[in-house]
Amino acid sequence: MKHFWVFIGALLLAIATALGAYGAHGLQSATADFRSIEAFGYAVQYQLICGLGLFAVAWATSHFKALLVNLAGFLLLIGCILFSLSIYLLVIFHWRPFPLITPAGGICMILGWLVFALAAFTALPRKNGYY
């Protein structure tokens, strides 16, 4: 599962980088609303954080309880998709399929980080004291 999380994390980072470049250079032609541009920036920022977080998840699969770590990874991934994608769709296409999808994504991300913290807290220490 470790390679899966690295792959997905790298993919999220690549997409966020491309969308960040679009936000910096092309988004103003799609919308002039400052709040929309700011929201787009937040979506990119949270996607970058989740992408990096999945690298931490990949590392942690070898060090903490795999069940909790993988659950955290899936929650982060689902949260990132729901949160960021819903904002991208709203800003670029003015399309909001479900009004509560953005906060649901945020809640999934929060739960993912809490489950990740639980995985770290409940991990058994190694004999050499290092992770």
Side-chain angles (χ1 to χ4, degrees):
M1 214 50 198
K2 180 188 318 187
H3 295 93
F4 173 77
W5 294 123
V6 171
F7 172 76
I8 296 298
L11 198 59
L12 285 177
L13 290 170
I15 293 168
T17 302
L19 287 170
Y22 172 71
H25 302 289
L27 184 60
Q28 291 178 355
S29 64
T31 182
D33 180 25
F34 175 75
R35 290 183 62 195
S36 293
I37 294 170
E38 185 180 41
F40 192 90
Y42 283 124
V44 169
Q45 182 180 13
Y46 277 78
Q47 184 172 338
L48 288 168
I49 292 168
C50 283
L52 291 173
L54 291 180
F55 281 99
V57 167
W59 171 84
T61 57
S62 300
H63 301 283
F64 303 151
K65 293 179 182 176
L67 178 67
L68 288 176
V69 172
N70 286 318
L71 176 60
F74 281 116
L75 286 168
L76 286 172
L77 178 60
I78 291 167
C80 179
I81 291 169
L82 293 178
F83 181 83
S84 294
L85 184 61
S86 66
I87 293 174
Y88 298 145
L89 292 174
L90 178 63
V91 172
I92 296 171
F93 300 109
H94 306 288
W95 184 58
R96 183 177 226 165
F98 305 104
L100 297 177
I101 200 163
T102 307
I107 289 169
C108 285
M109 283 190 280
I110 292 167
L111 289 174
W113 289 116
L114 289 173
V115 170
F116 193 81
L118 180 64
F121 184 74
T122 60
L124 297 173
R126 294 191 147 192
K127 290 183 182 182
N128 65 4
Y130 296 103
Y131 286 103

